[in-house]
Structures are given as C-alpha cells and as structure tokens.
Amino acid sequence: MIRIAAPWRIPLILFTGAFLLFLLYALRGLAEPSLLMRIDSATYLAPARSLLEKGIYASPGGVPTALRVPLYPVFLAFALLLGRGSLAFCIPVHCALSALAVPLLYQAALEFTGRKRSAITAAVLLMLSPTEIAFAPMFLSEGLFVTLVSLELLLFLRFVRRKKDSDLFLSAATGAFAALTRPLNVLWILPAVFVSFFVSGATARRRILRGGIAGLLFVLILAPWVIRNHRIGSGWRLDEVSADSLRHNASVVESRINGIPAQFYREQYAITFEKEFADRSKYPDRNACLSYEERYLSDILMRHPGTYFLLFFNPSKLVPDVPTFLENLKLTTGGRGTWDVIIKDGLFAGIRHYFNGKLHLPFLLTPLILLLLATYLGAFFEVVNALVKKEWMTPLLFLLFCVFYLMVVGPGGYPRFQLPALPFLCLLCGRAADRILSLRESRRKDGLKSERKNERSEAS
C-alpha cells in the first residue's frame, strides 16, 4: 500500500476531488467535444495542429501567426500528441490542468493564514465556483491561466511571509508565463513590483534592486516572443488580440451612448477597415493594419472618456457564468446577442433574453451561486477588517490579485473575466470564515466556563 507523506495528503485529496468533479461535469463533452468549444477555440487549435503537422506556429493557411500568445496552443499541441489527435483525450487533460489550481490555492492560503481550516475552505470555494467548473474542461486558455495565477499568488505570498527575493523572482517569472497564456497579465508586473516595495525586511536600496530584477526577468521571458512577432510582420506586439479588444471596447462605448446594439458598430468597423486596407502599398503587413486599427479605435474611446471609464466598473464581471455552464451541458444555446442586450438594457434584461422563458434553469445552480455570493461577502468582510485593523498588506494584495484582474480587461463584462480574481477572493473568504468559526468557538468555550463557574458557586 502506497503511503502518502502528511504534507502532500490534503493537496492530493483536493486535486483528486477537483479533477473528478471537473471530469464528471465534462462527461457530455467527452461524447461531443464541440460542446466545450467556442469561437476562440479555433484560434488555439489551428496553431496547435500546425505545430504538430509542420513544426511552425501558423494559421490554417500555413502563414505564421501572432494572433494568440503561444503557451496554451503549445500545451494543446502536447495534449493532442499524447492523445494521437483525439480531442476527447484533451478534455481530461484540461480537467487535470485546471484541478491543479485547487491544491496550489490551498498552499497559498496556508502561506497567508497558517491555518489548514482556512486553506481548505479557500480551495473548496474555488473548486465549487460555477465559472471555474464551466471553464475547466474547455478548449480555451482560461483553465491554464487560472492555474498559473494561483502559482503566481502562492509564490508572491511566500515572498511576503519569508522575505526571500527568490520567491519574488519566481512569482515574476510565473507572471510572465501567465502573460504568454493571456496577454492581460502583461501589465501585472508593474503593481507587483509596487507592492513588493511594502514588504519589510530589506533596505530601500535592496527593495529597488529586487523590484528591478523581477521586472527585468519578466521582460526577458516575454522578449523572444515579441521579437518573433516583429520578424513575421506583426510589429513589436505580444499578440494581435489587443486591436480586437479595442474593437469590442469601442463598440460597447458607442452602444451605451447611442442605444444601438454593439454588434452594429463592430460590423461598421469591419467594413471601414476592409475598405481602408484595400491599398496594399499603404498597408503592406499586419503591423501597418493593426496600428491603423488601434489609432482609429483609440480615438473613439478618447472622445468619450467618461463613459469608457465608468464601464470599467461593470458588475457583470462578478456574475457566475451560468450560460457557459449550461451550454456545455447542452441545456441552452449561445450566439443570441445577449451581451448586446446587457449593454443596451441592463443585466436583468439580458438574463430574460438569454433564457427565453426558461428561467427555471439558473435555479438548478442555486447552491453554487449562493456559495459564490458568500465568497464575495467573505472577501469584502476580510478587506474591511484589514482596513480597520490597519493591516495594509491585505488591501495591497487585494488590489494586486483582484482589482487589477477585474479592471485590466476594460469595459467588457463577460463573467469569465472574474476567473483570475477568484483565487484570492476565495483565499480572503476562507480566512474570514475561519475568523467567524474561531469567534464562535471562543464564545462557546467562554459560555461553558461561565456555566461551570455558576455550577461551582451554587454547589458551594
């Protein structure tokens, strides 16, 4: 019989539980892998298959592409290689990769609180988040990204507690690999270095030096991919999605101002760019086209700075991704323009539009939704408690690992954008739950002592 060392027992149990839960949820997708795909999935599968077949990171036409950053397609290519091209084989691999985030968060919470009960609570909350469950088996980069963010969090918290510079450097390196999975992480290093200055135990000179080394390490990991993209004509960019994000953001802003569906503006942008780029002498490569798109769309956003800024605070980012959860089970279908309805008429109008009279479906997930709500409330309680007690590191970490991830995506309010913020929110809630339970236990003990004291006084 194999004996598992005590320090590994709980993480292994958490990983196994998360893996089995994600795999159970993905059973429908195993029979029909297309259920676990979305429009973006093709942009990951194409370079993955190109790597296997031709040894180059290219689009379906064989042209080298910079549309997506490489880490998830490389992982997908490896999974396809192991499974001999089987998409169904990739699904349990995705589940295992996503499940790794759970024990990583357990270890991070253990570093942060030093209490197993708090750490287990945080890990279970992440495991049972409906959005995490929904994206765990999917052919998208979110699963890998959440796992990397959880590792990034663990290493940074080790740095905060142990004051070892090497932990900061490892966290920065993990953050860079996370940026090669989802580019939104490319700015994370700036607030990370800022927060590192507030970690005690070092002189001002050493703090500046270790922050500079962490930033340099981050840049050096990203540099080869940026240079590669420049060589294929895409400019000094990490990827080409930034222009597409601007297109989405500009359409959202114009939709909010004029009350016209955002899809209308996206179609107008496509027509405008197609006409503009017809002159190949003026736009000889992707860099020229992307630069024009970015200038054109940025001008639209700068004409409406107030609306653009207010849309960053979109509560839709915190709503559990019930639609994706149900679509993966083939209980509902997407592609009905729900997001445009939310932008134009509000969240509740979008919910009514999406479910089209089947409002009983989201109630099936009521326990998981309530658990997510409890996570938010617990995290809020913990941040307020830290502010009252003037424990400044907690709100700083909250800004770095929650506010940053919720704000950096811009006006978009897709529920999946909550995913990188979830690990730290769960960690905070786990700590809050442990505080409340400890307080109850303390009061119970005080009550028992009081009763015994009364009994003794009566007996005497």
Side-chain angles (χ1 to χ4, degrees):
M1 190 176 189
I2 299 175
R3 289 187 177 183
I4 301 169
W8 294 99
R9 198 169 297 152
I10 294 176
L12 185 60
I13 291 171
L14 289 168
F15 170 78
T16 304
F19 173 70
L20 292 175
L21 174 64
F22 297 161
L23 190 61
L24 179 65
Y25 169 76
L27 286 178
R28 189 69 185 264
L30 284 169
E32 193 177 345
S34 61
L35 283 175
L36 301 177
M37 296 184 188
R38 297 298 182 267
I39 294 173
D40 290 350
S41 299
T43 63
Y44 296 114
L45 280 164
R49 285 172 169 153
S50 178
L51 282 170
L52 287 177
E53 296 167 5
K54 303 173 184 176
I56 58 171
Y57 192 88
S59 61
V63 179
T65 179
L67 179 62
R68 295 288 182 185
V69 283
L71 203 57
Y72 174 65
V74 168
F75 164 79
L76 195 53
F78 179 69
L80 287 169
L81 178 64
L82 290 179
R84 297 183 181 181
S86 169
L87 292 174
F89 177 83
C90 295
I91 293 171
V93 176
H94 280 116
C95 292
L97 182 67
S98 298
L100 277 174
V102 176
L104 285 172
L105 179 59
Y106 167 80
Q107 293 295 145
L110 210 54
E111 290 286 340
F112 190 63
T113 66
R115 293 177 65 86
K116 286 185 179 180
R117 183 169 64 183
S118 176
I120 291 171
T121 303
V124 171
L125 285 172
L126 179 63
M127 183 196 310
L128 297 179
S129 164
T131 309
E132 173 70 6
I133 295 171
F135 280 87
M138 294 185 72
F139 288 83
L140 295 169
S141 61
E142 273 77 7
L144 174 58
F145 187 57
V146 174
T147 296
L148 286 171
V149 168
S150 298
L151 178 58
E152 170 189 271
L153 171 63
L154 166 60
L155 292 166
F156 199 91
L157 291 177
R158 278 189 177 176
F159 163 66
V160 171
R161 190 173 77 86
R162 304 180 186 184
K163 312 293 190 298
K164 288 186 177 180
D165 294 353
S166 58
D167 289 324
L168 175 63
F169 302 152
L170 288 171
S171 182
T174 305
F177 286 114
L180 289 172
T181 303
R182 287 190 64 78
L184 63 88
N185 217 58
V186 74
L187 295 176
W188 175 83
I189 191 62
L190 299 177
V193 169
F194 175 77
V195 173
S196 75
F197 291 155
F198 292 89
V199 176
S200 60
T203 63
R205 181 179 178 181
R206 182 180 167 187
R207 294 182 196 194
I208 293 171
L209 180 62
R210 73 189 180 192
I213 293 172
L216 180 62
L217 180 62
F218 189 92
V219 171
L220 287 175
I221 291 172
L222 299 183
W225 185 251
V226 174
I227 293 169
R228 176 262 183 193
N229 289 345
H230 175 71
R231 287 179 175 174
I232 66 170
S234 293
W236 298 101
R237 290 179 175 83
L238 194 61
D239 69 340
E240 297 181 3
V241 174
S242 57
D244 186 64
S245 298
L246 281 173
R247 192 180 300 198
H248 173 78
N249 292 343
S251 68
V252 167
V253 169
E254 293 205 279
S255 173
R256 177 59 62 90
I257 291 171
N258 300 316
I260 298 173
Q263 183 60 32
F264 168 81
Y265 291 103
R266 287 192 287 271
E267 291 171 356
Q268 291 301 306
Y269 302 153
I271 293 169
T272 300
F273 296 147
E274 186 178 358
K275 290 180 180 177
E276 180 69 25
F277 300 152
D279 184 356
R280 299 305 299 171
S281 61
K282 189 176 178 182
Y283 301 97
D285 56 18
R286 285 293 294 157
N287 180 42
C289 296
L290 291 168
S291 297
Y292 177 83
E293 284 189 38
E294 289 164 355
R295 286 194 303 271
Y296 181 92
L297 297 167
S298 295
D299 286 344
I300 293 174
L301 295 175
M302 291 304 100
R303 289 200 296 269
H304 310 287
T307 303
Y308 180 55
F309 178 74
L310 288 174
L311 283 171
F312 273 74
F313 302 92
N314 193 326
S316 299
K317 297 172 187 176
L318 297 175
V319 175
D321 202 339
V322 174
T324 297
F325 193 103
L326 296 174
E327 286 169 24
N328 291 349
L329 298 174
K330 213 173 183 179
L331 295 175
T332 58
T333 55
R336 302 180 62 245
T338 302
W339 172 241
D340 289 341
V341 175
I342 291 174
I343 290 296
K344 183 174 175 291
D345 301 316
L347 178 61
F348 291 105
I351 291 172
R352 288 194 300 271
H353 171 82
Y354 177 81
F355 289 103
N356 193 26
K358 299 178 181 178
L359 290 175
H360 64 282
L361 287 175
F363 286 102
L364 297 174
L365 299 180
T366 298
L368 296 181
I369 294 171
L370 291 177
L371 205 58
L372 182 63
L373 177 61
T375 301
Y376 293 152
L377 292 175
F380 176 76
F381 168 84
E382 190 59 31
V383 172
V384 171
N385 182 66
L387 289 171
V388 170
K389 293 183 176 180
K390 296 183 179 180
E391 297 173 352
W392 303 121
M393 185 52 65
T394 295
L396 282 171
L397 291 169
F398 177 72
L399 291 173
L400 175 60
F401 287 103
C402 291
V403 176
F404 169 79
Y405 283 119
L406 292 173
M407 295 294 107
V408 74
V409 292
Y414 295 119
R416 71 174 185 268
F417 292 157
Q418 72 187 247
L419 280 170
L422 270 179
F424 195 68
L425 288 171
C426 293
L427 184 151
L428 289 175
C429 184
R431 191 182 195 185
D434 187 58
R435 285 184 193 276
I436 294 169
L437 290 172
S438 297
L439 184 62
R440 284 184 178 179
E441 290 170 358
S442 177
R443 286 178 177 176
R444 190 179 299 167
K445 288 178 181 178
D446 290 342
L448 288 171
K449 286 180 181 178
S450 178
E451 286 178 9
R452 288 172 183 172
K453 188 176 181 180
N454 291 335
E455 287 173 359
R456 287 172 186 171
S457 61
E458 287 175 3
S460 62

